[in-house]
Amino acid sequence: MVKQERAARTRDTLILSAAEVFAGQGFTAASLAVISARAGVSSGALHFHFAGKAALAAAVEESAVRTLQAVTGRAPRAGAGRLQQLIDVTHDLARQLREDAVLRAGFQLSGEAARAPRTDVRAHWRAWVEEAVGRAAARGELRAGVTPAGAVRAVVAATVGFEVLGSRDTVWLSRPVITQFWLLLLPTLAAAALRADLDAAGLPPRL
């Protein structure tokens, strides 16, 4: 049991190390030697757990998706609509991207031209936004004339843009920036009767 726990810790350390290197250097430039050194393990230990760089990248993506699913799995607050849930989740996602190197690397790997992602983290995010906007539309929360497809494109384009810019400057992932985005978007997105009840700054996470 102790040996298994040690192996699991080593694997997790390698995934984190790989994520930090991928996020900083990109997949193509990343070196397995740098990743193993950063993790404090031998090259042999790395290859015991992962066949190569592609396998490491796949593990980072899988871990990132699990984190993303935890973020998007947040239940809406009692009495809050689906647009408010979407606002809250984007704030949670931005915070997690600031703090979690694995999630940042997972998103970044999805945009790498040098390889096809095994698990496309950005596609998972887009799919969740589509579901959230669809639920909002079904509840009459969208402004007349706004199509769900158009709303999804706006939200996904902006949030992925914040993710890309935030990889170099975390100010793009700050609460004020995400709040300003929603303050600008909500008047064109949300039904007039709902607008006054929406909090662009996001409701705090449930404790």
Side-chain angles (χ1 to χ4, degrees):
M1 182 64 70
V2 172
K3 186 175 181 180
Q4 291 175 341
E5 290 174 354
R6 185 165 59 247
R9 284 195 301 270
T10 298
R11 188 178 190 279
D12 290 343
T13 300
L14 282 166
I15 290 173
L16 176 58
S17 175
E20 291 169 344
V21 175
F22 290 147
Q25 301 179 10
F27 175 79
T28 301
S31 160
L32 289 178
V34 171
I35 291 170
S36 60
R38 190 182 189 98
V41 303
S42 67
S43 176
L46 185 153
H47 285 286
F48 174 80
H49 290 279
F50 301 101
K53 193 162 62 169
L56 259 173
V60 168
E61 289 169 329
E62 290 165 5
S63 181
V65 165
R66 287 194 294 271
T67 299
L68 178 62
Q69 288 170 337
V71 171
T72 56
R74 166 181 174 157
R77 292 299 184 100
R82 294 305 182 263
L83 278 182
Q84 185 64 62
Q85 182 190 24
L86 177 60
I87 294 167
D88 297 343
V89 168
T90 59
H91 278 286
D92 288 349
L93 176 63
R95 176 183 55 79
Q96 200 70 25
L97 283 166
R98 291 196 308 269
E99 299 173 358
D100 190 328
V102 174
L103 184 62
R104 284 197 306 275
F107 267 90
Q108 183 173 319
L109 286 166
S110 294
E112 287 270 1
R115 60 180 289 274
R118 184 178 301 180
T119 305
D120 192 329
V121 182
R122 290 178 183 174
H124 278 267
W125 169 243
R126 183 178 66 248
W128 184 84
V129 174
E130 288 172 350
E131 291 179 9
V133 170
R135 290 193 295 266
R139 290 165 59 98
E141 295 183 14
L142 300 186
R143 181 178 173 178
V146 173
T147 65
V152 168
R153 283 193 290 269
V155 172
V156 172
T159 51
V160 171
F162 292 141
E163 170 253 317
V164 172
L165 292 166
S167 66
R168 296 299 180 93
D169 181 358
T170 56
V171 168
W172 287 98
L173 296 168
S174 66
R175 182 167 291 274
V177 168
I178 306 303
T179 299
Q180 187 63 34
F181 161 68
W182 282 112
L183 286 171
L184 291 169
L185 184 63
L186 285 174
T188 61
L189 177 66
L194 178 67
R195 219 169 294 150
D197 296 327
L198 293 170
D199 181 5
L203 295 173
R206 182 177 297 169
L207 300 177

